Amino acid sequence: MTPAPVNGHALLDFNAPMSDARAYELIGTLRLAEQRIVDYGCGWAELLLRMVEHEPTARAVGVDGDETGIARGRANATSRGLGKNVRLELADLTTWESEPVDVAVSIGSSHAWGHTRETLAAMHQRVRPGGQLLLGDAFWEKPPSDVLLERFGAKPDDYGTIGELVDLAMASGFRLLSLATANQDEWDSFESRWCASRERWLLEHPDHPEAAAVRKVVDDHRDLWLHGYRGYLGFAYLTLARA
């Protein structure tokens, strides 16, 4: 029987450059008691599950279009006894609707809306006045070269500086409560695990018909990381309040 294609996220705790310590730090910036939470682009919802473990009175929904991620998240919620507090839905997060909630989460999901500006506009509609948004988005640590932009498939204004990201959030109707940025260890751990899941699969399935394609994906990614955006691309976590 042919084995299933590699699960490239299998070794990741979070689908973002985030350590355990960072996750709990971010959770601590939010008011969660008896709050309704929606995570737009939750993946396998690890951060959402930890929020509810931290505050059992919260009620949470995670929305994502990735079937594998949702299945993993549902299994984890059940095994950790969180099924009554957390509901995970397989859906297009841009069209999934609910009443405005107390807390919205959007980490690394701006591509779904098109851009950070559009993401903030969508979140503003989905968070009640006085509610909170935990936004995770990219920025440039250092100005990128034209070569990096070309390799990364980005335009100069796709991302701004960290100050410009905060300014954009505030211009979109939010106030800044907390700011944190992923450090280099978090980035390197994230990228290493992303590559390692594929490398381990290749070691176990060297003669698989898809092995060459998987090897090219991981080699191209590692090259772009180490010889491209490492030290240039940053990732910020903003805890925001809807004004």
Side-chain angles (χ1 to χ4, degrees):
M1 180 177 177
T2 302
V6 58
N7 177 4
H9 296 133
L11 300 180
L12 293 173
D13 294 325
F14 308 98
N15 195 16
M18 182 187 300
S19 62
D20 287 340
R22 181 79 62 198
Y24 290 115
E25 173 191 330
L26 296 174
I27 290 170
T29 68
L30 298 165
R31 295 191 314 272
L32 297 176
E34 301 182 352
Q35 301 291 281
R36 296 171 300 133
I37 310 166
V38 174
D39 187 338
Y40 292 90
C42 66
W44 51 93
E46 180 60 29
L47 183 62
L48 196 63
L49 296 181
R50 294 194 191 194
M51 286 181 180
V52 174
E53 285 175 329
H54 176 78
E55 182 45 70
T57 65
R59 295 294 180 268
V61 179
V63 185
D64 202 283
D66 178 58
E67 186 173 359
T68 301
I70 290 294
R72 175 181 172 182
R74 286 172 175 168
N76 288 343
T78 299
S79 67
R80 288 150 70 171
L82 301 173
K84 293 182 179 179
N85 299 66
V86 180
R87 185 175 86 252
L88 302 183
E89 296 200 4
L90 181 65
D92 181 343
L93 61 95
T94 65
T95 58
W96 187 86
E97 295 287 346
S98 77
E99 294 294 321
V101 297
D102 303 306
V103 180
V105 180
S106 175
I107 294 179
S109 300
S110 290
H111 60 88
W113 309 95
H115 193 272
T116 307
R117 186 183 304 276
E118 288 74 27
T119 301
L120 286 162
M123 293 298 102
H124 193 269
Q125 294 177 346
R126 290 162 172 76
V127 176
R128 65 166 177 79
Q132 303 159 95
L133 167 64
L134 177 58
L135 176 74
D137 215 328
F139 68 96
W140 291 119
E141 294 267 15
K142 296 185 289 189
S145 66
D146 291 340
V147 173
L148 175 54
L149 288 171
E150 183 178 356
R151 292 193 65 196
F152 202 63
K155 299 187 293 294
D157 60 350
D158 279 352
Y159 308 116
T161 65
I162 185 66
E164 289 169 336
L165 176 59
V166 172
D167 290 347
L168 179 59
M170 296 185 69
S172 300
F174 293 95
R175 301 294 297 178
L176 180 68
L177 299 178
S178 178
L179 169 66
T181 58
N183 61 38
Q184 195 62 65
D185 285 345
E186 288 173 304
W187 263 118
D188 288 346
S189 176
F190 171 70
E191 299 290 5
S192 295
R193 294 187 192 194
W194 193 97
C195 293
S197 59
R198 292 160 174 80
E199 294 289 2
R200 290 182 182 279
W201 185 88
L202 286 167
L203 289 171
E204 295 170 359
H205 308 99
D207 300 321
H208 192 278
E210 296 181 32
V214 172
R215 188 173 294 108
K216 177 172 172 40
V217 167
V218 72
D219 286 348
D220 287 350
H221 183 91
R222 184 184 297 106
D223 182 70
L224 182 58
W225 160 38
L226 293 176
H227 301 289
Y229 60 82
R230 186 180 186 273
Y232 284 85
L233 188 67
F235 201 83
Y237 298 101
L238 281 61
T239 301
L240 304 163
R242 182 183 162 184

